[in-house]
């Protein structure tokens, strides 16, 4: 069930969600008084060709032909190059990956230490600043002039950065001369002429391998029906304009008829937002302010939630940046967990187990498709580990299709693979370290190897694996992952080396030699005839259980987090195993780091 939803999420994530104008989104204008759906009614008897709607040129006197349709919001209006036109999207369904660059990283803003972009809604991690990729969308993260990031211009110079050319100019202030990097005061006694020299620097742009940034300039796809709403924002606006929406989209939710300023009870009567789900029945003729989710919107018991901006219950929260609390009320999501380290950040006492995590690119995180689940190891090496893979025995088959590896499979409380799209998304957010933790079959000794860096690329890059050097290890010094560095992912039915994945019975970042040594998805039990054909090997030994864990490279455990969770720590990464492993051994390893 969970995985089905995730699959849907990821599929949405890669689509453009820019909505082209369709007549149905302009019910009061098309046909209006014009009498034909090929015309748009500007009002006052003025009709324009519908092809002129949202074409970035104001045709109606009031600019109404450039508004997004009902229920749609506008974004990206103020971006360099957008010419004030922007994109229309449905805030209730969009995952803002490639649609709205001005807000795709808005969900990072509640995080400590992120940089608030100058003119867009985005916030970026510190190490995205001056990294050559324009995540802010207004170039403010790449602007060397802001806070004199590049220390380029003299204190007596004016720094200017031109986004279009990515050129930085340093021009000495009046009364100073020099090249802009060095400016010396012009002696007034000398009476010399004031020359203004300029130093020009071009910021090199590197192409990030881990992000896709294609701007969808055109195109329809979604046929947005429905909705009642007021839209604002015109084509000529130069600032970013957000449209407020009130929606009655879902077939499973009734419209708020407008008879009530806030919540409309099912059998008549109005109550305020604060009376909804407060534990006390307030509706005069029914108890729908309290039991709406169990009596009316029964189709989505786990997602059913009340939003204050729309004054209605829906399957998920309507309000952006809100999240459903345990009562079903949508509350501001000041800090959504995107990985297991975030879980510790929210609750320093969090324990090992399956956790719900969020896609930071979602506008309405409470939607089920914006969520995914992972096993969190909160004890090993002071916790914060997101488990990508657990293979505890061979009862669960890892010979899966490319699409299964893409979206993930298995059960987070047992054996599972979290999915390549999730791994890419998480690991491209900030630097991560990787731990391979397992157990040797013969000695039953717990072993672990920690790598300094870990990320995988976009699907277009083949989810190319990138790992750094070993950081530390216990029980084995072998580096069996290095040979896969740079490889693309192959499953039995798709990828550059499907033959390896088929023969060795697992999807992996196969390299040409098809060596299964260090490939952690192949069957654990070695082939007795040719041990290298199958069986997870590490340093010449069979592994009988293995997990793959990641954690932010700059993870800071909460104060007092025990380093030595004897009896629970290392065991946690094998939870679900029936075999007792040597927990103290791994604890020792990490204690020495
Ligand atoms: C509307 O514009 C299109 C494209 O310019 C044109 O082909 C079409 O004939 C116009 N329709 C009307 C009714 O003017
Ligand atoms: C409650 O129900 C009664 C009887 O049907 C009706 O007369 C009354 O108007 C209802 N109250 C409200 C607030 O709608
Ligand atoms: C959910 O939020 C509502 C509104 O703030 C509050 O009344 C309710 O107690 C919250 N429920 C829980 C379980 O925190
Ligand atoms: C695993 O699944 C694949 C594909 O369905 C199948 O060919 C293979 O026999 C299965 N392996 C086991 C051990 O069941
Ligand atoms: C995963 O396994 C646990 C424990 O057996 C079970 O309670 C849960 O329902 C399973 N989840 C899914 C999605 O199958
Ligand atoms: C790899 O990780 C190390 C240690 O965390 C860090 O100093 C280094 O910058 C990282 N390298 C890359 C390319 O991310
Ligand atoms: C892995 O490959 C990347 C380039 O793709 C390189 O920067 C990195 O140093 C390599 N890792 C190791 C441990 O050699
Ligand atoms: C790996 O395990 C198998 C049995 O599972 C055993 O036959 C084989 O000898 C082991 N190989 C090594 C190198 O330990
Ligand atoms: C295999 O692992 C699963 C999940 O960890 C566990 O439920 C099952 O009992 C194990 N089977 C065997 C044969 O050990
Ligand atoms: Ca127009
Ligand atoms: Ca950047
Ligand atoms: Ca109430």
């Amino acid at each position: 069930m969970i995985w089905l939803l995730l699959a849907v999420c990821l599929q949405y994530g890669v689509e453009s969600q820019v909505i082209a104008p369709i007549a149905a989104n302009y019910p009061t204008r098309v046909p209006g008084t014009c009498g034909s759906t090929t015309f748009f009614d500007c009002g006052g008897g003025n009709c324009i060709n519908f092809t002129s709607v949202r074409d970035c040129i104001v045709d109606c006197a009031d600019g109404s032909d450039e508004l997004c349709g009902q229920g749609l919001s506008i974004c990206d209006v103020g971006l360099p190059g957008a010419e004030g036109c922007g994109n229309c999207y449905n805030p209730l369904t969009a995952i803002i990956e490639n649609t709205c660059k001005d807000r795709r990283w808005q969900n990072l803003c509640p995080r400590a230490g992120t940089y608030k972009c100058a003119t867009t809604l985005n916030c970026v991690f510190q190490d995205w600043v001056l990294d050559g990729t324009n995540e802010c969308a207004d170039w403010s993260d790449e602007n060397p002039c802001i806070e004199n990031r590049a220390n380029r211009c003299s204190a007596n110079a004016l720094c200017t950065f031109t986004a279009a050319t990515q050129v930085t100019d340093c021009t000495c202030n009046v009364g100073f001369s020099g090249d802009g990097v060095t400016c010396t005061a012009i002696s007034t006694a000398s009476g010399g002429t004031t020359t203004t020299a300029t130093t020009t620097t071009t910021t090199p742009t590197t192409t990030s391998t881990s992000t896709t940034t294609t701007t969808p300039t055109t195109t329809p796809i979604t046929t947005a029906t429905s909705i009642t709403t007021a839209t604002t924002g015109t084509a000529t606006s130069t600032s970013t304009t957000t449209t407020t929406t009130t929606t009655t989209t879902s077939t499973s939710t009734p419209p708020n008829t407008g008879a009530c300023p806030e919540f409309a009870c099912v059998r008549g009567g109005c109550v305020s937002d604060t009376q909804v789900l407060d534990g006390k029945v307030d509706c005069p003729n029914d108890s729908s302010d309290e039991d709406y989710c169990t009596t009316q919107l029964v189709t989505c018991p786990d997602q059913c939630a009340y939003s204050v901006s729309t004054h209605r219950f829906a399957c998920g929260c309507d309000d952006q940046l809100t999240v459903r609390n345990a009562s079903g009320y949508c509350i501001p999501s000041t800090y959504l967990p995107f990985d297991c380290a975030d879980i510790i950040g929210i609750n320093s006492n969090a324990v090992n187990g399956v956790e719900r995590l969020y896609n930071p690119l979602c506008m309405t995180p409470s939607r089920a498709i914006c969520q995914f689940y992972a096993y969190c190891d909160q004890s090993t090496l002071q916790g914060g580990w997101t488990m990508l893979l657990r293979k505890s025995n061979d009862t669960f088959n890892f010979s899966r299709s490319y699409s299964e590896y893409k979206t993930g499979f298995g059960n987070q409380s047992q054996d599972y693979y979290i999915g390549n799209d999730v791994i890419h998304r998480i690991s491209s957010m900030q630097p991560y370290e990787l731990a391979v933790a397992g157990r040797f079959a013969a000695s039953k000794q717990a072993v672990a190897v920690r790598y300094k860096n870990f990320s995988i690329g976009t699907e277009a890059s083949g989810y190319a694996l990138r790992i750094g050097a070993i950081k530390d290890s216990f029980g084995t010094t072998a580096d069996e992952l290095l040979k896969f560095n740079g490889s693309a992912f192959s499953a039995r039915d798709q990828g550059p080396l499907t033959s390896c994945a088929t023969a060795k019975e697992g999807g992996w970042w196969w390299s040409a030699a098809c060596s299964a040594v260090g490939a952690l998805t192949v069957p654990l039990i070695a082939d007795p005839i040719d041990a290298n054909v199958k069986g997870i090997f590490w340093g010449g030994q069979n592994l009988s259980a293995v997990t793959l864990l990641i954690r932010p490279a700059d993870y800071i455990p909460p104060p007092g987090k025990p380093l030595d969770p004897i009896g629970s720590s290392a065991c946690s990464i094998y939870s679900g195993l029936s075999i007792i492993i040597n927990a103290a051994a791994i604890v020792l390893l990490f204690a020495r780091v």
Side-chain angles (χ1 to χ4, degrees):
M1 180 57 170
I2 289 161
W3 290 103
L4 177 65
L5 294 170
L6 180 59
V8 175
C9 175
L10 295 164
Q11 197 182 333
Y12 274 73
V14 298
E15 277 175 18
S16 162
Q17 283 154 8
V18 177
I19 296 169
I22 57 165
N25 286 343
Y26 300 93
T28 63
R29 303 286 189 158
V30 183
T33 61
C34 300
S36 159
T37 53
T38 59
F39 288 100
F40 179 92
D41 184 356
C42 291
N46 291 324
C47 297
I48 60 165
N49 194 329
F50 192 77
T51 59
S52 298
V53 174
R54 286 289 305 160
D55 66 350
C56 302
I57 297 162
V58 173
D59 298 281
C60 296
D62 62 357
S64 56
D65 60 307
E66 294 304 312
L67 296 176
C68 294
Q70 281 186 42
L72 305 181
S73 293
I74 194 162
C75 64
D76 282 359
V77 174
L79 290 193
E83 293 170 348
C85 200
N87 293 324
C88 297
Y89 71 100
N90 184 335
L92 300 186
T93 58
I95 294 172
I96 303 301
E97 191 142 25
N98 292 324
T99 306
C100 295
K101 293 190 186 331
D102 65 351
R103 66 200 63 195
R104 62 179 296 193
W105 299 112
Q106 184 179 14
N107 287 357
L108 295 182
C109 293
R111 294 177 171 243
T114 52
Y115 166 74
K116 174 82 185 71
C117 298
T119 65
T120 61
L121 297 171
N122 293 316
C123 294
V124 301
F125 290 112
Q126 290 299 335
D127 49 358
W128 293 2
V129 171
L130 288 181
D131 69 345
T133 306
N134 173 28
E135 289 95 350
C136 274
D138 62 358
W139 289 94
S140 57
D141 56 324
E142 299 301 311
N143 183 345
C145 293
I146 291 185
E147 294 152 7
N148 195 19
R149 278 180 188 140
N151 283 317
R152 211 166 248 158
C153 300
S154 157
N156 297 315
L158 176 69
C159 182
T160 55
F161 174 73
T162 311
T165 54
Q166 293 178 62
V167 166
T168 312
D169 285 341
C170 301
T171 310
C172 291
N173 294 336
V174 174
F176 292 85
S177 73
D179 61 3
V181 176
T182 311
C183 297
T184 50
I186 298 163
S187 163
T188 46
S190 76
T193 54
T194 310
T195 54
T196 317
T198 299
T199 296
T200 301
T201 322
T202 305
T203 310
T205 308
T206 57
T207 311
S208 167
T209 54
S210 58
T211 53
T212 40
T213 45
T214 42
T215 316
T217 45
T218 48
T219 42
I221 289 178
T222 315
T223 3
T225 49
S226 75
I227 319 173
T228 70
T229 290
T231 54
T232 56
T234 67
T236 49
S237 162
T238 50
S239 65
T240 303
T241 311
T242 309
T243 310
T244 29
T245 52
T246 317
T247 305
T248 55
T249 315
S250 172
T251 50
S252 55
T253 52
N256 177 337
T257 56
C260 292
E262 296 186 352
F263 180 69
C265 301
V266 170
R267 291 205 173 73
C270 301
V271 301
S272 71
D273 290 331
T274 54
Q275 290 174 302
V276 175
L277 294 175
D278 67 349
K280 177 178 152 291
V281 172
D282 295 289
C283 287
N285 283 344
D286 61 63
S287 49
S288 59
D289 59 317
E290 298 300 317
D291 65 10
Y292 197 95
C293 290
T294 50
T295 60
Q296 306 295 318
L297 189 50
V298 295
T299 51
C300 53
D302 295 336
Q303 282 89 41
C304 181
Y306 186 76
S307 296
V308 296
S309 73
T310 52
H311 313 298
R312 67 158 194 170
F313 285 92
C315 295
C317 293
D318 293 343
D319 301 335
Q320 293 177 17
L321 302 180
T322 64
V323 65
R324 178 187 189 276
N325 77 5
S327 323
Y329 209 90
C330 296
I331 55 167
S333 59
T334 48
Y335 196 100
L336 290 174
F338 303 151
D339 65 17
C340 293
D342 289 342
I343 297 279
I344 282 277
I346 294 164
N347 172 17
S348 59
N349 297 317
V351 296
N352 300 329
V354 178
E355 298 281 1
R356 176 162 57 201
L357 304 173
Y358 294 85
N359 178 349
L361 299 173
C362 273
M363 296 304 285
T364 48
S366 298
R367 292 161 56 215
I369 65 163
C370 294
Q371 304 167 1
F372 65 103
Y373 292 83
Y375 186 88
C376 294
D377 180 344
Q378 305 295 24
S379 52
T380 299
L381 187 50
Q382 300 185 297
W385 296 99
T386 304
M387 187 179 281
L388 307 183
L389 162 78
R390 185 201 279 114
K391 196 161 167 47
S392 51
N393 57 46
D394 276 337
T395 53
F396 192 70
N397 193 343
F398 275 72
S399 181
R400 302 276 175 151
S401 67
Y402 177 89
S403 72
E404 286 176 287
Y405 272 100
K406 174 180 161 70
T407 56
F409 56 84
N411 181 325
Q412 294 80 3
S413 62
Q414 298 160 8
D415 284 0
Y416 81 109
Y417 186 72
I418 201 167
N420 286 335
D421 283 335
V422 168
I423 300 176
H424 162 68
R425 194 176 68 222
I426 294 180
S427 68
S428 58
M429 249 181 14
Q430 54 184 320
Y432 277 83
E433 63 179 23
L434 173 78
V436 177
R439 181 169 42 75
F440 281 154
S443 64
K444 309 225 181 309
Q445 182 190 11
V447 296
V449 180
R450 190 149 64 130
Y451 288 85
K452 272 184 194 149
N453 312 84
F454 168 79
S455 66
I456 74 169
T458 59
E459 183 172 21
S461 80
Y463 299 116
L465 179 67
R466 210 184 128 270
I467 51 164
I470 289 184
K471 185 173 179 181
D472 49 33
S473 58
F474 172 78
T476 174
T477 54
D479 183 352
E480 304 292 17
L481 289 190
L482 182 60
K483 62 176 164 293
F484 302 117
N485 193 23
S487 296
F489 193 91
S490 295
R492 59 170 200 240
D493 58 339
Q494 194 176 328
L497 289 167
T498 51
S499 56
C500 300
T502 305
K504 306 298 166 75
E505 298 180 21
W508 195 250
W509 294 271
W510 291 106
S511 59
C514 266
S515 168
V517 177
L520 304 179
T521 55
V522 304
L524 289 155
I525 304 302
D527 185 315
I529 311 293
D530 178 356
N532 274 323
V533 169
K534 295 173 196 165
I536 301 181
F537 280 81
W538 197 282
Q541 298 218 48
N542 288 339
L543 286 171
S544 53
V546 73
T547 60
L548 208 46
L549 307 153
I550 60 168
R551 182 170 84 174
D554 62 357
Y555 173 73
I556 300 168
K561 179 85 177 160
L563 185 61
D564 176 9
I566 289 181
S568 64
S569 171
C571 283
S572 66
I573 57 179
Y574 308 105
S575 63
L577 282 187
S578 48
I579 304 147
I580 298 160
I581 61 148
N582 183 353
I586 281 199
V587 172
L588 254 185
L589 144 73
F590 293 128
R592 286 202 187 109
V593 170

